[in-house]
Amino acid sequence: MKKTIITVVGKDTVGIIARVCTYLADNQINILDISQTIVQGFFNMMMIVDTNLTGKDFGVIVDELNALGEEIGVVIKCQKEEIFDQMHRV
């Protein structure tokens, strides 16, 4: 399993989750865990996904999600699980 952490942050609008999840489904990326909240009009979502079945390189996924984020007015970041763990190690 190739786990990736995806974060989505921005002003809340209709369809953010739908657009991100549609991209993931279209690219055979399975959502393992998801958490989202809205605080005073700002949207925040964190997902743990499995990229094992996608045919795309990690860099392509990162670029496409960045472009999707710009299109829908949010910031989307992707990190491989091992990098995320190293950055947040206590």
Side-chain angles (χ1 to χ4, degrees):
M1 189 177 310
K2 295 183 200 172
K3 290 184 182 176
T4 299
I5 310 303
I6 298 174
T7 57
V8 182
V9 178
K11 189 163 174 51
D12 187 38
T13 59
V14 173
I16 296 171
I17 296 172
R19 293 290 300 275
V20 174
C21 290
T22 297
Y23 172 85
L24 298 176
D26 288 347
N27 289 283
Q28 299 299 308
I29 298 171
N30 188 38
I31 299 168
L32 302 172
D33 201 355
I34 182 171
S35 172
Q36 68 92 29
T37 187
I38 300 166
V39 178
Q40 294 185 359
F42 289 95
F43 178 86
N44 184 42
M45 178 168 64
M46 180 176 172
M47 308 170 94
I48 301 173
V49 301
D50 179 7
T51 58
N52 196 44
L53 297 179
T54 189
K56 293 187 177 179
D57 289 332
F58 182 76
V60 172
I61 294 168
V62 170
D63 291 343
E64 290 179 349
L65 283 172
N66 283 337
L68 175 61
E70 288 179 17
E71 183 182 320
I72 62 176
V74 296
V75 176
I76 302 176
K77 298 289 185 190
C78 278
Q79 293 179 305
K80 292 184 178 180
E81 180 186 38
E82 56 270 14
I83 301 298
F84 186 86
D85 286 344
Q86 290 296 321
M87 288 178 56
H88 295 90
R89 178 181 260 172
V90 176

